[in-house]
Amino acid sequence: MLKEQEEKIRNLFERQGFWEVDKIRIRYITDTWVQFSCEKKVVNGPTEYLNVQYTLIDRIKGRSFDVKVESELQQFVSMLKQRNEEIIRLRKKEERLRSLLQS
């Protein structure tokens, strides 16, 4: 039981600092305006926002608002996943350096 608790705590700490891509909030403000937000897993961490609005240029191009929202959401999630991958890469570098100090 104690090992399970230790592992849960360790997993919580390992996940700290990542963007919660699986918990993106979607809020429609008007029929032509939607806001996405995603929090970073840290105490008092930042929240990334993306506002998507249907513009005159979109209307001229014949792009529907729904298509624009879907593509912007995919780009937003992709950007946050890249940030998480960068965090993982840097943590691996830190671990390698720590292992050098211990040997």
Side-chain angles (χ1 to χ4, degrees):
M1 179 101 169
L2 186 60
K3 277 190 171 186
E4 290 175 11
Q5 289 175 343
E6 287 177 7
E7 190 168 322
K8 284 181 183 178
I9 291 171
R10 189 177 312 119
N11 286 337
L12 284 174
F13 281 115
E14 288 174 359
R15 288 184 278 167
Q16 289 293 316
F18 288 109
W19 292 95
E20 296 183 299
V21 178
D22 56 335
K23 295 182 182 177
I24 290 181
R25 291 183 192 88
I26 301 170
R27 190 178 120 198
Y28 274 86
I29 298 168
T30 67
D31 287 337
T32 58
W33 183 6
V34 66
Q35 182 181 68
F36 305 126
S37 63
C38 183
E39 292 182 356
K40 195 170 187 180
K41 275 191 172 182
V42 290
V43 177
N44 295 328
T47 300
E48 186 77 25
Y49 292 96
L50 176 66
N51 288 296
V52 179
Q53 293 181 314
Y54 195 53
T55 64
L56 179 61
I57 295 171
D58 296 323
R59 289 186 200 113
I60 292 170
K61 289 182 177 179
R63 186 177 187 194
S64 77
F65 182 62
D66 293 333
V67 169
K68 181 176 181 176
V69 167
E70 289 174 12
S71 67
E72 292 289 332
L73 178 60
Q74 289 173 351
Q75 289 176 5
F76 186 64
V77 169
S78 176
M79 174 192 67
L80 295 172
K81 284 183 178 180
Q82 286 177 348
R83 288 183 185 178
N84 283 344
E85 290 170 4
E86 178 75 11
I87 292 168
I88 291 169
R89 186 181 64 76
L90 292 174
R91 285 185 179 175
K92 285 180 181 177
K93 280 184 161 183
E94 289 174 4
E95 287 177 23
R96 270 189 265 131
L97 288 175
R98 282 193 190 102
S99 68
L100 288 175
L101 290 174
Q102 292 174 355
S103 57

